[in-house]
Each structure stands twice: as structure tokens, then as C-alpha cells.
Amino acid sequence: MKSTIENTVEFVKEKLEGAEAGHDWFHIERVWKLARKIAETEDCDQEVVELSALLHDIADPKFHNGDETIAPRISREFLESQNVPNETIEKVLFVIENISFKNRGNAPVNPSLELQIVQDADRIDAIGAIGIARTFNFGGFKNNPMYDPAVQPSLNMSKEEYKKSNGTTINHFYEKLLLLKDLMNTEKGKKMAEERHDYMLNFLDQFYKEWNVD
Ligand code: ADP
Ligand code: NI
């Protein structure tokens, strides 16, 4: 008989058939592996970590008209069909409902360790070389401009400047990717984020150098 994890892998692969490359099965697989690596260093519920990592993007609101209720609903239905105990289901749903960077303003006061781990794993996959690739893929998917030389985004730009540079893929580095290093929850996550953060800084230097042909 197949394990619950194996069945979940199968379910998620099927659900994400044809997804945008930055949010496809391979993103889930990387986050799953990263989460397992971090979990090794923490005294956590391994099953909750794995199930949450596998289900965390099952119905991203970005691709479902902003509806944040679909993912928890689909996940609960699936986990119930697998006879996963309700206590575990509740813990998994808590992770899925609170993992998003966008909603960090409403972060729970008492995040579970499992949430912290899966969130770190998801954030690590958003930075470094993979993070850069995912970001440009998403920008292309949306037909956004890569960069607008008339507006130079920075980490401490004013609201006005921010608005003008909004919508370019390079701006996404400043509104999100470069902030992630300091938002890591776990020690292991922090360490893993450092190298990838430096790589992005180098990438941006080189990008501007090549853009400004003289
Ligand atoms: P979260 O679900 O944590 O709020 P998102 O799903 O919005 O995060 O972002 C996941 C990844 O999708 C980002 O790290 C980035 O690679 C890509 N992405 C999201 N929004 C944009 C954007 N406006 N421009 C370019 N890439 C984006
Ligand atoms: Ni994700």
C-alpha cells in the first residue's frame, strides 16, 4: 500500500499539471526537500512539515482570482480522503493559510514551528539563481517589462518612486526577494539564504552593468 506522502505527491503532481514554471510541481518538490532538510535540525512534526510543503501551492490565490479559500478546502478534502487524523489536518491547514509573504502583515502571533520551517523553505526557493529564474518566468508570464531605466528601484525608495517602478520584474527584487534573507525563521534557513542573497546582489550589479552599454 502506498503511504499518505506518496499519495499526496501523486495528487499534487496531477493538480499542478500545466502550471506556470515558477509555481509548478518542481517548485513543490524543491520546497519539500528544503523543508525536510530544515526539519532535520528542528524538533518538529515531520509529517505536518511534509504534507504542508506538498500542499502549500495547491491553489495559489494569484491564479484563482484572489480566492484564498480554495487551497484549504481542497487540502482538507484530500487529507480526509486519506484518513489523516483531524489534528494533523488542522496543523497542515494552519501552515497553508499563513505561509504567504503577501499576508505577512497579518502573520499569526504564535506561528507553529512547522509553519516557520515550510515558510523558510518556500522563501529559500524564491531567492538565488532559482529565485531569479522564477521571477523572470513569472514576469514573462504576465508580460511585464523586465526593467525601466527611468526608475531605479531601491530598498528605501519613496512611495511615489515605488509606484512608478511597480510592475517591472527588477522591482520585484526590491519589494520582495532582497527582503527575504532577514525574514528567515530558523537558523538553518538563515544560513541557506545567505549565499543565495549574495548571488542576487551580484546578479543585479551585472544586470545594470550590461544594461548600461556605453
Ligand atoms: P507568496 O505566495 O509567498 O506571497 P508569491 O506567490 O507572490 O509569494 O511569489 C512567489 C514567487 O512568484 C516570487 O518569489 C517570484 O518568483 C514570483 N512572483 C510573484 N509576483 C511577482 C511579480 N510581480 N514579478 C515577478 N515575479 C513574481
Ligand atoms: Ni511556494
Side-chain angles (χ1 to χ4, degrees):
M1 219 178 96
K2 280 196 182 155
S3 69
T4 305
I5 297 290
E6 284 170 324
N7 287 338
T8 310
V9 167
E10 219 165 83
F11 174 71
V12 173
K13 269 187 190 166
E14 202 174 288
K15 276 270 173 217
L16 290 180
E17 194 79 41
E20 179 264 321
H23 293 83
D24 62 0
W25 160 252
F26 294 111
H27 163 62
I28 303 302
E29 190 178 40
R30 290 188 302 268
V31 171
W32 178 33
K33 289 183 182 167
L34 287 164
R36 282 199 307 227
K37 254 187 210 288
I38 300 171
E40 280 170 15
T41 69
E42 303 283 342
D43 185 16
C44 62
D45 185 328
Q46 175 92 17
E47 195 187 18
V48 171
V49 167
E50 294 202 36
L51 291 174
S52 311
L54 286 169
L55 290 164
H56 86 275
D57 274 334
I58 194 76
D60 192 319
K62 256 198 308 315
F63 303 112
H64 292 85
N65 296 320
D67 191 337
E68 296 185 359
T69 65
I70 302 177
R73 201 168 63 235
I74 295 180
S75 300
R76 175 180 285 283
E77 265 171 35
F78 170 75
L79 294 170
E80 280 174 356
S81 78
Q82 298 296 305
N83 297 317
V84 172
N86 200 47
E87 197 191 330
T88 306
I89 297 182
E90 294 294 339
K91 287 182 187 168
V92 171
L93 294 195
F94 180 77
V95 176
I96 296 174
E97 286 170 338
N98 291 292
I99 191 171
S100 177
F101 174 82
K102 261 185 308 304
N103 299 335
R104 68 193 180 289
N106 301 319
V109 197
N110 287 316
S112 61
L113 184 51
E114 291 76 21
L115 168 60
Q116 294 182 315
I117 292 170
V118 181
Q119 194 169 55
D120 276 8
D122 197 26
R123 287 173 173 176
I124 289 168
D125 201 56
I127 59 180
I130 292 281
I132 294 170
R134 291 181 69 210
T135 301
F136 280 96
N137 195 78
F138 187 86
F141 181 75
K142 290 272 179 192
N143 201 21
N144 290 340
M146 291 199 295
Y147 174 54
D148 181 352
V151 272
Q152 179 53 54
S154 74
L155 285 172
N156 44 17
M157 60 194 154
S158 70
K159 266 216 168 103
E160 257 330 285
E161 288 168 317
Y162 174 79
K163 262 201 204 127
K164 275 189 273 169
S165 69
N166 208 5
T168 71
T169 301
I170 285 291
N171 185 62
H172 195 65
F173 284 76
Y174 298 87
E175 68 176 358
K176 175 173 180 187
L177 308 189
L178 294 172
L179 309 178
L180 294 177
K181 173 177 73 78
D182 293 328
L183 293 174
M184 290 295 153
N185 304 301
T186 65
E187 282 311 308
K188 179 87 178 169
K190 273 182 202 144
K191 273 210 196 86
M192 292 167 99
E194 269 167 28
E195 183 193 0
R196 292 177 184 226
H197 181 84
D198 291 345
Y199 188 87
M200 290 193 296
L201 293 179
N202 286 333
F203 168 80
L204 289 170
D205 275 352
Q206 183 75 17
F207 183 94
Y208 297 133
K209 203 162 93 187
E210 293 179 13
W211 187 283
N212 295 307
V213 178
D214 53 17

